[in-house]
Amino acid sequence: MNEQKVKVAIGNDNYIIQLVGTKAAQDFTSFMPMTLKLNNFGKNEKISELPGKLDISDSPAGTDAKVGDVDMYAPWGNLAVFIRPIQYSQGLVNLGHIEKNGANWINYSVGTEVHFELT
């Protein structure tokens, strides 16, 4: 599968996510364009509900996450953007990585709208 990039707009801030070449990442692009609202989950990640399920059949059973990683937590089906690293977590499926300044997402508050579209 071809790896794709996703443009993310949050207010006046723009980011690019480099997606990995998995079925889950491809399914993620099928929802675009889309706008989601952020929530906090602990001190490590910003989360949002996805509009549907992703095919994780070719993804590892879990992964660790680095700052700027964009993942889906399979048991809940939510999108997670990591603002701090975490150790290996079962059910965490990597979709891609924010190319620059992923740590900046820590500054966005609950309810912030995030717009995703293919580049």
Side-chain angles (χ1 to χ4, degrees), residues 43-103:
K43 295 180 179 180
N44 298 320
E45 60 197 276
K46 300 289 184 174
I47 65 170
S48 188
E49 288 188 39
L50 288 169
K53 297 199 180 280
L54 305 179
D55 179 352
I56 61 171
S57 63
D58 65 345
S59 297
T63 190
D64 57 347
K66 299 175 285 310
V67 173
D69 276 358
V70 178
D71 296 353
M72 180 195 64
Y73 184 59
W76 297 349
N78 67 284
L79 184 70
V81 177
F82 285 87
I83 54 175
R84 292 190 177 93
I86 66 164
Q87 294 180 348
Y88 179 89
S89 180
Q90 185 79 16
L92 196 60
V93 176
N94 182 253
L95 302 175
H97 187 81
I98 299 169
E99 290 185 343
K100 294 180 184 174
N101 303 321

